Every structure is written in C-alpha cells, then in structure tokens.
C-alpha cells in the first residue's frame, strides 16, 4: 500500500515541503501516543482525492479549463471540514497536507468534524468578478454531492471570502429540489451575515488567541494587567487579539505589519492604531508617538507576551535567542520552527501551539453550521460565551496532558487529537 | 529577490516591499497576504446576466 509517508519519501525534493512537515508532526505524535499501527495506516492516507477539470466561459466568449481540487483526509469524527483556496501554486500535495492538518485541528477542538481542503489552481487577479462567480459556481456544480452539509463543508481560505461562500451555497442549494433547498444552507461556513453567516465570525480567531493567553495566565497565576505584548500582523487575528488583551489591562508595545515595525514602550492604543491604519492605506507606519524599528529587531523587543499572528516560519533558531517574552501565543499557522521551539522550551519560554491557539476560527465555523442546521439565529454575546466555554475546555485538556505526561503543549495537543481519533476507530472497528 | 514558486509571496502585492520577513519561501498562509486588484470588478458584471454567449456558436462542451 502506498502511504503518504512513502509518497513523501519518494518526493524528497518536494517543492512545497508542506506535506513533509505535516507528516513529520504526525509521525512524532503517533510515536508519543504509541498509536495502534493499523490506525496509523488509516490516518496516513487521505480518504478521497478529487481532481476536477471544468470549463468556464470567460467575458470575451472564450472557454477556459480550470483544475480544481478537493482532498478529504478523514471523516471518522464527522463531516469533512476545510477551506477552499484560489491560488496558482496549489497542487495536490499542498492540499493533502492542509487537509490532514484540518483533521488534527478539528479533532483537538472536540468538534464533530473531519479534515479536508481544496481549491482551484488559478490566479484570481486575472479574472473579473463575473468570471470569478462563474468559476466558483461551475466548480461547485462539478463537485456535486462530493460536498454537502452533512458530508463535506468548505470554508473561506486564501483568495476566497464570504462572497465566494454565498455563491457556493446558492449554487449547491439550487441543485436541490425546492422543498429541500433551505435545509442545505450549511453546505459552507463563512457566509455573509445576511445569508446565514455568524455574527462575530471576524473576531473568533483573535478572541480565541486572547482566551488562550488568559487561560494560561490564570493557570500560572500571572496577572495580565500591565503585562506588555507585541503582535506580528495587524489583520483580523492580530487586531482582535490585541483589542481583547488591552481590555484586560495589558499593554501593546510593538506591532509589525507588511509596511513596517513600530514601538512605544508606554503603549500603543489599539483602537487608535486601527483607526490610523484605515486612513493610512492599511499601514501602521507613522502612527503618532511611535518609533520605527528595523524588521529584524521585532522578535527581540522587550515584552512579556509575543503573538506571531501573520505567517509561518518566522521564529527561527536565530530569532529564538533574541526573544525576551515568557509566553508565545501562535495566532498564525506554524510561526515557530522545530529548532527554535526546542531552544525556547529549554529556556523555559511557554508556547501555546497554533493548532490550539488559533482554533477559535474553526470553532466559530462550527457554530455557524449549527446555527443554520437548527434554523436559529445566535446573538453576539451568546456566541462569545459559547466560544469561551469551548476554548476553555480544550485549553485545560491540553494543559493537563502537557503537565501529567511532562511534554510541551504542542505535543500534548497532537496527542489529544490523535488519541480522540484512535478511540473512535477502536470503538467503531473497521468495516466489514 | 528569489521566491519559491510554491510560496504565497509569489503572488502577493507586497512581496517586494514586505517588512514581515526576509524568508519568503514556503509561506502557505499569511494574514497580510493581498493580491493585486482584480480586473474589471464592476458589480454590474455579477448583477446583470450576460446572455451574449447564446448568440455565438457553441464550440465545445466538455462535461
């Protein structure tokens, strides 16, 4: 049997390297939990890999053929769940890796979901809005019943948004008979609020990052009031995490975005900074009473908490030596390299891993799905309260495993996710 | 600047001036990622159905 592990070994010089990274993490976690070898075989492969070529008529009347992907890694815990990205560089390996990662993420969060990912290999900037709509709708039609509200639930990802999800939902629902259309609205999550979307979905990930920091602080008897923090990335995740931390009395002393790095030891007021960026083409640079810093100095800034909330592979071995924070909360996916993490843990720096720290987003998606499924409309306060409850439950489980098994929080998170899947397979057995 | 062809930075509007990182390889998600403005993002293109294709000769039907 060809497993993903074998495939990775065969593709030693894989351009992406992503599948290799995800498989390494899985191998490590499987070893830690002494995973049943038969279950390891199942989890090492994807259930389904769909590659679809579909035609779309362009504005000039010509027809263009697109390549779309949907990889469904595992559905032992429930319907497949994962984003759809539109990008010229996606290929089957990248989609497989991301699908597998979704399985661990949903399993850790205790959601009734499996893992999937997909997308279309294309450069969206080359197409008009009308063309993008037709591409999206034609892809949805081509996917047919390979997606569905109780089978596989896509969500926004790179270059896709609430509008894309609304087109998918509308197309999917239109293929059903009239009496069944409205009960298929939860075929996607991340929809616009007026079309079944969740109130507060924009802040779910950032709020989750904040909650993880808060729970960690409570457990370690650390008071957040007057603690200093820095944020890399001032997008949805970085901004909302900073917003809630500031409300708790902590002080934002450094921010880095795509345009520059700014600091103020006395504190940067989060709302004022957001307003400033709105009138400054999105840039934080030049914010009143702030000083500019070189980008290479960012992770070495004096602070108590560091929140990398932009992109992966940023905290490298070199940067790890400079870090002064006692806590790193990973808002982004994969911001700390394996070598850097080892060094940081040796130095006693705590790391709340991405798979736990930024899971507020997927939990928010689950709430949207539930809301549509039950024909309900939830209010913001209720959503935030439910998110708080869910995140606390997961955080405490990870911390407990980490302390009882004397392992770092990332390993503990993977152990919990894989043990949950293993337990399900042991209970259910393998058909026939 | 050399960017791995499989990195998101490859198509990011800010790649050449990005302040976040010098390492632009193997980036598969980024909160600051932004594509160039889409061409012809005129709302009428989605609100007004374009039936002109029905007048042209139907060349191919793949699926």
């Amino acid at each position: 049997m060809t497993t993903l592990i074998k495939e990775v070994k065969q593709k030693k010089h894989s351009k992406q390297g992503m599948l290799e990274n995800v498989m390494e993490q899985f191998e490590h976690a499987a070893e830690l939990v002494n995973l049943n070898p038969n279950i390891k075989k199942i989890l090492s492969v994807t259930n389904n890999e769909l590659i679809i070529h579909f035609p779309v008529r362009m504005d000039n009347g010509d027809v263009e053929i697109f390549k779309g992907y949907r990889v469904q890694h595992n559905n032992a815990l429930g319907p497949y769940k994962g984003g759809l990205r539109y990008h010229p560089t996606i290929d089957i390996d990248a989609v497989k890796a991301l699908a597998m990662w979704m399985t661990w993420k949903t399993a850790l969060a205790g959601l009734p979901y499996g893992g999937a990912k997909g997308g279309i290999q294309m450069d969206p900037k080359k197409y008009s809005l009308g063309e993008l709509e037709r591409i999206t709708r034609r892809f949805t039609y081509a996917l047919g019943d390979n997606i569905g509200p109780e089978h596989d639930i896509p969500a926004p990802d790179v270059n896709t948004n609430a509008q894309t999800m609304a087109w998918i939902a509308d197309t999917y629902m239109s293929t059903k008979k009239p009496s069944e259309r409205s009960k298929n609205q939860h075929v996607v999550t991340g929809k616009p609020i007026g079309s079944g979307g969740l109130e507060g979905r924009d802040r779910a990930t950032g709020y989750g990052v904040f909650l993880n920091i808060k729970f960690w602080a409570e457990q370690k008897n650390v008071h957040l009031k007057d603690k200093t923090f820095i944020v890399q990335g001032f997008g949805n995740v970085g901004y909302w995490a900073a917003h809630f931390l500031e409300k708790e009395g902590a002080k934002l002393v450094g921010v880095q975005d795509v345009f520059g790095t700014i600091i103020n030891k006395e504190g940067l007021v989060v709302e004022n900074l957001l307003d400033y960026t709105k009138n400054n083409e999105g840039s934080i640079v030049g914010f009143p009473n702030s000083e500019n810093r070189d980008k290479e100095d960012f992770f070495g800034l004096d602070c108590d908490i560091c929140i990398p909330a932009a992109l992966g592979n940023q905290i490298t071995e070199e940067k790890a030596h400079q870090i002064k924070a006692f806590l790193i909360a990973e808002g982004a996916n994969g911001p700390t390299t394996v070598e850097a993490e080892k060094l940081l843990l040796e130095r006693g720096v705590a790391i709340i891993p991405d798979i736990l720290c930024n899971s507020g987003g997927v939990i928010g998606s689950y709430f949207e799905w539930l809301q549509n499924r039950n024909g309900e409309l939830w209010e913001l306060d209720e959503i935030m309260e439910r998110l708080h409850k869910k995140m606390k439950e997961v955080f405490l489980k990870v911390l407990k495993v980490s302390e009882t098994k004397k392992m770092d929080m990332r390993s503990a998170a993977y152990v919990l996710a894989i043990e949950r899947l293993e337990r399900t397979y042991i209970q259910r057995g393998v058909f026939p | 600047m050399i960017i791995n062809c499989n990195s998101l930075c490859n198509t990011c509007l800010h790649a050449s001036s990005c302040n976040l990182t010098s390492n632009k390889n193997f980036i598969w998600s980024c909160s600051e990622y932004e594509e160039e403005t889409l061409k012809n993002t005129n709302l009428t293109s989605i609100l007004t159905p374009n039936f002109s294709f029905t007048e042209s000769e139907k060349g191919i039907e793949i699926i």
Side-chain angles (χ1 to χ4, degrees), chain A residues 167-229:
Chain A
W167 288 332
I168 296 175
D170 183 63
T171 309
Y172 184 83
M173 287 158 74
S174 300
T175 63
K176 304 294 163 200
K177 58 182 182 185
S179 59
E180 286 181 0
R181 282 178 193 162
S182 60
K183 66 177 182 191
N184 282 284
Q185 192 182 35
H186 53 307
V187 62
V188 284
T189 58
K191 300 179 289 294
I193 290 176
S195 303
L198 190 78
E199 195 83 48
R201 176 64 187 82
D202 57 341
R203 69 203 70 183
T205 310
Y207 184 55
V209 171
F210 156 72
L211 287 175
N212 275 287
I213 295 169
K214 185 172 181 270
F215 301 148
W216 182 90
E218 282 168 3
Q219 293 299 313
K220 304 290 174 188
N221 289 320
V222 171
H223 296 284
L224 287 178
K225 189 167 164 45
D226 295 329
K227 291 289 175 293
T228 56
F229 67 99

Side-chain angles (χ1 to χ4, degrees), chain A residues 142-159:
Chain A
L143 281 168
D145 280 336
N146 288 295
I147 58 169
E150 306 294 329
H151 176 52
D152 184 352
I153 308 137
D157 201 284
V158 173
N159 283 330

Side-chain angles (χ1 to χ4, degrees), chain B:
Chain B
M1 180 178 51
I2 299 166
I3 301 175
N4 178 295
C5 65
N6 290 78
S7 176
L8 274 187
C9 302
N10 197 30
T11 54
C12 181
L13 183 64
H14 305 293
S16 58
S17 59
C18 176
N19 179 74
L20 287 169
T21 181
S22 305
N23 173 17
K24 298 201 166 44
N25 289 321
F26 304 109
I27 303 300
W28 52 278
S29 75
C30 178
S31 68
E32 312 275 310
Y33 172 79
E34 209 175 343
E35 279 254 9
E36 279 173 46
T37 314
L38 303 175
K39 70 165 189 173
N40 181 27
T41 49
N42 185 346
L43 261 185
T44 55
S45 65
I46 58 165
L47 297 176
T48 315
N50 176 9
F51 295 114
S52 59
F53 68 86
T54 55
E55 292 163 11
S56 65
E57 192 183 336
K58 190 177 174 186
I60 50 166
E61 190 62 61
I62 291 177
I63 294 179

Side-chain angles (χ1 to χ4, degrees), chain A residues 331-355:
Chain A
N333 290 321
T336 314
T337 67
V338 176
E339 301 78 22
E341 176 160 29
K342 197 165 170 257
L343 279 171
L344 289 162
L345 293 173
E346 278 169 9
R347 280 181 44 203
V349 177
I351 301 173
I352 305 177
D354 51 3
I355 188 175

Side-chain angles (χ1 to χ4, degrees), chain A residues 12-75:
Chain A
K12 263 187 179 172
H13 303 292
S14 156
K15 284 179 194 170
Q16 196 86 9
M18 201 188 294
L19 185 57
E20 205 169 354
N21 288 346
V22 174
M23 286 309 297
E24 266 175 33
Q25 283 171 347
F26 172 59
E27 286 282 325
H28 176 61
E31 213 170 288
L32 285 174
V33 298
N34 194 21
L35 180 65
N36 177 312
N38 287 321
I39 296 168
K40 189 175 168 188
K41 278 184 208 165
I42 298 171
L43 294 175
S44 297
V45 290
T46 50
N47 286 359
N48 305 303
E49 293 170 17
L50 204 63
I51 300 179
I52 300 172
H53 295 101
F54 58 98
V56 180
R57 196 174 298 275
M58 298 293 107
D59 289 345
N60 66 3
D62 285 348
V63 167
E64 209 171 302
I65 308 298
F66 293 88
K67 181 183 266 193
Y69 300 93
R70 189 67 182 170
V71 171
Q72 297 166 333
H73 174 252
N74 190 279
N75 64 345

